[in-house]
Amino acid sequence: MRKISYLLLATLFLGTTGCDTLNEVAKAVVESSTGGVPTSLEMSGGLKEALNNGVRFAVNTLGKEGGYYNDPLVKIPFPQEAEFAAKALRDIGLGKLVDDFEKLINEGAEEGAKEALGIFGNAVKAMTFADVQSILLGDNKAATRYFQEKTTDQLFQTFSPKIETALDKVNATKVWSDITTKYNAIPFTKKKVETDLVRYATEKAMQGLFMKVAEEELKIRQNVSARGTSLLQKVFGYADQQKAGN
């Protein structure tokens, strides 16, 4: 029906315009209906739609039960700088304490991850058209870098108290206190554990979040089937053509 309407419009122009003008009208009709160069409004709308979808998926994935703990790529391990303490505790039969703590700290991150959606959403809303162009025609991590630049400080400020509350809620803070107290009490230990648990968990949780956002960005850039709407197909198809021509 839309194509018929376009043809009728072109026919109406036939009696009042020259051939050159008619050809221009016909060309515009074809580009509008089949793709062509997206307008600035379409570029902004398409990119923001893609980023909002990707961020929502990343946050929902990590915010569900087991979102961090069951994913080897983002699972938060026992603090590396205190790994010597974990080994020592296992050596004296307290390995379950270490394992329980690792699970609890990931549960805390899963609780805190839910707070990130609004922050990312505000960063998307604040994008200028220059930002849109730079990201759309940039490399496969252009959007992720934009988010890191625009949201890291706010994520940390907002995430940190939420992580702390979440860690308290799932008892991870107490378990960590038990671990450090028991380890530091082992006779002849030369190196004491003084890891800032909240900072450690917050930074690791943010790293995992940006990693998931990067995965979603790569998916829509490289996988045509991930572009689920005509707007996304038009905008990212145009970006593909522009980058292929450079």
Side-chain angles (χ1 to χ4, degrees):
M1 180 65 70
R2 179 178 291 179
K3 289 182 177 179
I4 293 174
S5 297
Y6 289 148
L7 291 174
L8 287 173
L9 179 62
T11 302
L12 288 174
F13 270 85
L14 183 60
T16 58
T17 63
C19 290
D20 290 342
T21 303
L22 182 58
N23 287 337
E24 291 176 5
V25 171
K27 181 179 178 182
V29 167
V30 171
E31 287 187 348
S32 177
S33 61
T34 62
V37 179
T39 65
S40 58
L41 190 61
E42 287 176 322
M43 285 187 194
S44 294
L47 180 67
K48 291 181 179 183
E49 177 185 340
L51 295 181
N52 279 323
N53 290 345
V55 165
R56 189 178 302 110
F57 181 84
V59 169
N60 289 342
T61 297
L62 293 180
K64 68 183 180 182
E65 184 178 353
Y68 275 90
Y69 188 74
N70 293 331
D71 186 338
L73 293 178
V74 298
K75 179 181 179 181
I76 303 174
F78 196 92
Q80 186 175 3
E81 65 271 28
E83 190 60 41
F84 64 90
K87 182 180 183 305
L89 290 170
R90 291 187 189 282
D91 289 345
I92 62 174
L94 293 176
K96 187 176 185 303
L97 187 64
V98 175
D99 294 336
D100 287 346
F101 166 77
E102 197 170 74
K103 186 171 183 179
L104 290 171
I105 198 173
N106 280 275
E107 289 179 5
E110 288 153 14
E111 287 291 322
K114 300 169 186 176
E115 301 298 321
L117 189 57
I119 295 172
F120 279 122
N122 289 336
V124 172
K125 290 178 183 177
M127 280 181 180
T128 65
F129 183 60
D131 293 327
V132 169
Q133 286 182 305
S134 176
I135 292 170
L136 185 63
L137 301 179
D139 62 32
N140 289 337
K141 292 186 177 180
T144 302
R145 284 197 300 274
Y146 171 85
F147 281 129
Q148 288 174 319
E149 179 184 344
K150 299 296 183 181
T151 68
T152 293
D153 289 344
Q154 189 180 359
L155 277 175
F156 192 91
Q157 293 168 9
T158 303
F159 223 63
S160 186
K162 296 296 182 179
I163 283 283
E164 185 171 17
T165 299
L167 291 174
D168 288 341
K169 179 180 177 181
V170 298
N171 211 33
T173 308
K174 181 180 183 304
V175 174
W176 179 245
S177 177
D178 290 345
I179 287 175
T180 55
T181 299
K182 289 184 185 327
Y183 174 77
N184 290 338
I186 296 175
F188 310 115
T189 54
K190 296 180 180 180
K191 188 175 182 181
K192 303 299 182 182
V193 178
E194 298 177 352
T195 301
D196 183 335
L197 179 61
V198 173
R199 173 173 286 277
Y200 170 79
T202 300
E203 290 178 347
K204 287 294 184 182
M206 288 168 56
Q207 288 174 16
L209 188 55
F210 284 127
M211 185 180 295
K212 283 297 178 188
V213 170
E215 286 179 2
E216 291 305 300
E217 178 179 6
L218 185 62
K219 185 186 300 181
I220 197 164
R221 286 188 186 276
Q222 294 189 342
N223 186 358
V224 176
S225 64
R227 304 167 186 176
T229 67
S230 58
L231 179 59
L232 293 182
Q233 291 165 12
K234 181 175 183 178
V235 169
F236 282 92
Y238 166 76
D240 291 341
Q241 292 173 356
Q242 292 300 299
K243 287 187 282 189
N246 291 336

